[in-house]
Amino acid sequence: WRNVTCSTCKVLFVIVDAALLSDANEERVARTAGEACIRLHLADEKVCRSITELFRKDFLQALRQSVLSPGQACALLLGPSCGKVDIYAPWNVTLPRIPKPPVTPPSPPTPGSPQSRVLFLTDIHWDQDYTAGAAAECKEPLCCRKDSGLPLEACGMAGYWGTYSKCDLPLRDRLLSLDPGTGVYWTGDNTSSIYVWASFQLIAVAVMRLIRNPCAGHLGPDVKVYPAVGNHESTPVNSFPPPFIHGNRSSSWLYDTMAEEWSPWLSEPAVKTLRRGGFYTMEVQPGLRVVSLNMNFCARENFWLLVNSTDPADQLQWLVHVLQESENKGEKVHIIGHIPPGLCLSSWSWNYYHIVNRYESTITGQFFGHTHKDEFEMFYDETDKTRPLGVAFIAPSVTTYVDLNPGYRVYYVDGNYKGSSRHVLDHETYILNLTEVNHSPESGKPVQDPKWGLLYRAREAYQLPSLFPADFDALLQTFVKDDRFFQKFWYFNHKGHVSEPCKEACKTSEICLLRSGLQDDLGKCTRHEGVVGRLMRAARTILC
C-alpha cells in the first residue's frame, strides 16, 4: 500500500465493491482490480497481475464478510491521515481486580553479578534467487535477482555479500555463523520481500525450513531459541485470519509448520497455543518467562481485520492471564514480537500500552523488529505521561533492505540468580560492512571469510549509566539539546550507512516517534513545531 494515496485507495475499493455487488465471479473481480492497479500506476503490469491473483481469494472473502465502506477500509489500511474508522469502536481487555503492586524503580545489579547474553535476530529476508553481478537497480519491487538483468555500469552490480539497494540478502551459510550466547530471540520475517507479490504456501514452508536448518546447525543443539512470527511468514503476505476462519483460508498450514519446525525448542503447552494463533509462552529459567506475540493481529496491513479487529484470537486477554500468573509467582517476563506496538491499530496499541502500565514490575524487557532500523519506543505512566516505565527495543535487520548493512543485536541481561531484575543492562549492535567485505583492499574481490564488526555499545556510545526507562527518557532530552548525540543515533539507526544527516523537521518527527509506544499518542509531540504533519509523512516504513 505504500504507493497508494488515500483517494486512489478509495477509487480502488469502489471498483472492487461494485464488482462484488454484480454477478461477476472472483476471476472477473480480480481482473477488474488488476486493470485498476495498472491504470492507477500502482505498479507495473506484471506485478499488478501477480498481486491480484495472489490475494484474490483471501482478500475477497475478507471483504465480503466485512461491512466497511471504501473510506473506512482505506482508513484502516493507510492510517488516520485517510480518515476515521468509526466501525472499529474502542474495545478494552479485562484486567483482574487485583491491585497493582507498589512500584520499585530498577537499580543496577551488584558488580560481578551474573549476566545473560541473548542473541537477537530479526528480518533475515533471505532471497534464494539473489545473484551477484545482477542489476542492483531495476523496475521490479526487488532487485539483485536473476531476472533483474545486467547493470549498465560495474558500480551497479549486486555485491557478493549483499548490496546497498532495494535488495534482500543472499543465501550464504557464512552469514549466520554467530555466537548464540545463552539464548536466542528470533522475531521473524525470514522469507524474501519478493514473496509479497509472488508466493504460495509450498515456497513459504520450504524457505522456513531452509533457514531454520542452518541456523540450528550454527547455534548448536543445546541453545534455546524463542521465535516469533513475522508478517512475511504467511502467504499472501500480511494475511493472518483469526482462528474462527476455517478451511483453505485459515492459517493452520502456517502454524502447524511452525509447530513442527520449532518443537525442539518449545514445550507442549507452547506448541498448543502456537497452533491455535501463532503465540505462546515458555519458562526460560526459574524466575524468567518469555511471551511470544503474534503482532500480525494488530497490523493494519492484515486485511482479515476488516472482518473483526477486536482482540483477534483473544491474544491480549491471554497475555493478561499469563502476566497475572507470573506476577503471582514473582516471575519476570520478556515480551518478543515482530511489529512494534506503536505501529499497531489504535485500539490494540492502547490496550497493549495499558497492559504494560499495569504489569510494569513484571515486564522487564520488550523486543521487536520489522522496521529494519535501530530504534526504540517509550512507555510512560498513564496518569500523567511523565514517569518512564518501559522501553520497547527495536533491533536492526539482518537484511540490507533498503540501503543498509546487514546487522544483528546482542542484549546483556541481568542474569540467572535469586533477586535478578532481568532488565537489559547493555546491548551491542554488529554489522557486516558491505563496502569492505565485497571488495578486499588487496585483491578487489569479495572477502572469503567476512567478519561481523561491532558498530557500537549502547551505554558507551550514549554515555548512559544504565539502560533503564529513565535513562532512555533522559537520552531523548539529550537528543533535543545536543545534536551531536542525535546524529550519532541517526548513524546507528541506519546501521552505519546513511547518506545525509537528519535535521530540523526530520529530527523533530523522529524524536516524536521514539517518545511513545502508543499508536495515536501525540501528547509528547505537540511541543515540537510542525510535528503532526511531518509525523504522518515520516512515519516508519512498514516493509510490506
Side-chain angles (χ1 to χ4, degrees), residues 300-350:
R300 65 167 53 96
E301 293 78 19
N302 182 6
F303 51 80
W304 283 103
L305 300 185
L306 293 168
V307 179
N308 182 13
S309 67
T310 302
D311 196 10
D314 295 323
Q315 179 179 218
L316 287 185
Q317 199 64 62
W318 168 86
L319 173 63
V320 169
H321 174 75
V322 172
L323 291 172
Q324 186 58 56
E325 287 292 310
S326 292
E327 179 180 281
N328 295 343
K329 293 186 288 187
E331 289 180 330
K332 302 301 182 183
V333 173
H334 286 175
I335 295 177
I336 65 172
H338 185 67
I339 300 171
L343 296 180
C344 291
L345 287 170
S346 178
S347 286
W348 201 102
S349 178
W350 182 90

Side-chain angles (χ1 to χ4, degrees), residues 41-60:
H41 305 291
L42 303 184
D44 64 28
E45 181 175 353
K46 175 184 175 183
V47 175
C48 280
R49 300 207 183 281
S50 297
I51 287 175
T52 51
E53 180 58 29
L54 175 64
F55 283 81
R56 172 166 59 91
K57 292 184 180 296
D58 292 71
F59 186 74
L60 292 182

